[in-house]
Amino acid sequence: RSARAEYVGPEPEMGKVYSGKITGIHDFGVFLEILPGAEDGSTPGCEGLCHVSELHVERVRNCPGFVASLNTEELEVKVLGKTDKGKLQLSRKAVLEDRGVGGNKGGKRNYGQGKQNRKSAEQKSDVSAPKAEMSDEEVSAIAQAIQEVKDL
């Protein structure tokens, strides 16, 4: 197998956001070309991997399906750094977090928060909402309607 041609353009800046063209989608992540190669095709563009764990703030279980649902050929990604082998590490999740999209940075979910929020909402409604009272006339009209339905 022949050696792959190397990218010869300017080095990408660490921490900078690039719009990358999707060049490959796999179960483990997405390959993106963030800097173009030579126009005549003699040298490839600068390519990196956005790992499946760096695609979104929430867990992505099906990488090809998730990318297909985005319905785009380009993704905005941040350059995180390089691996030991010199490969570029990219993150879409970092771009989303910088924009305030999605969960908290620790990746920890707040299981059980729903119950706490429901309780506090119930307590608030008990305090602030006035009790609805019905007149004797309204109560007897409802009782009569129920009786008529039973008689059917």
Side-chain angles (χ1 to χ4, degrees):
R1 190 165 114 171
S2 62
R4 185 167 181 231
E6 289 290 314
Y7 171 71
V8 292
E11 282 293 307
E13 295 177 41
M14 301 302 148
K16 186 175 177 186
V17 176
Y18 292 89
S19 181
K21 181 181 168 198
I22 297 172
T23 58
I25 303 170
H26 303 274
D27 289 338
F28 55 84
V30 180
F31 285 99
L32 299 145
E33 180 181 274
I34 61 168
L35 293 170
E39 287 183 24
D40 63 0
S42 59
T43 59
C46 182
E47 200 172 81
L49 173 69
C50 183
H51 189 265
V52 64
S53 65
E54 293 292 332
L55 276 175
H56 196 63
V57 291
E58 293 180 11
R59 182 175 177 207
V60 174
R61 288 184 170 88
N62 176 355
C63 184
F66 176 77
V67 175
S69 74
L70 295 174
N71 198 25
T72 184
E73 294 178 15
E74 292 190 353
L75 297 176
E76 284 198 333
V77 290
K78 182 184 271 192
V79 177
L80 297 180
K82 288 190 173 188
T83 64
D84 297 339
K85 294 181 179 180
K87 307 281 186 191
L88 222 49
Q89 295 174 307
L90 307 173
S91 174
R92 179 175 176 265
K93 179 164 99 172
V95 174
L96 295 173
E97 286 175 343
D98 289 349
R99 293 182 180 160
V101 176
N104 51 5
K105 287 204 182 229
K108 303 276 187 228
R109 293 180 179 255
N110 294 325
Y111 291 111
Q113 284 296 105
K115 289 181 182 176
Q116 293 169 358
N117 291 340
R118 265 198 305 274
K119 272 185 185 171
S120 63
E122 287 171 5
Q123 290 166 352
K124 288 177 189 172
S125 67
D126 288 348
V127 173
S128 61
K131 299 277 185 206
E133 292 187 26
M134 297 172 64
S135 66
D136 290 339
E137 195 175 294
E138 290 171 312
V139 172
S140 62
I142 292 171
Q144 183 180 354
I146 293 171
Q147 189 60 46
E148 288 174 5
V149 170
K150 283 183 181 177
D151 291 343
L152 292 177

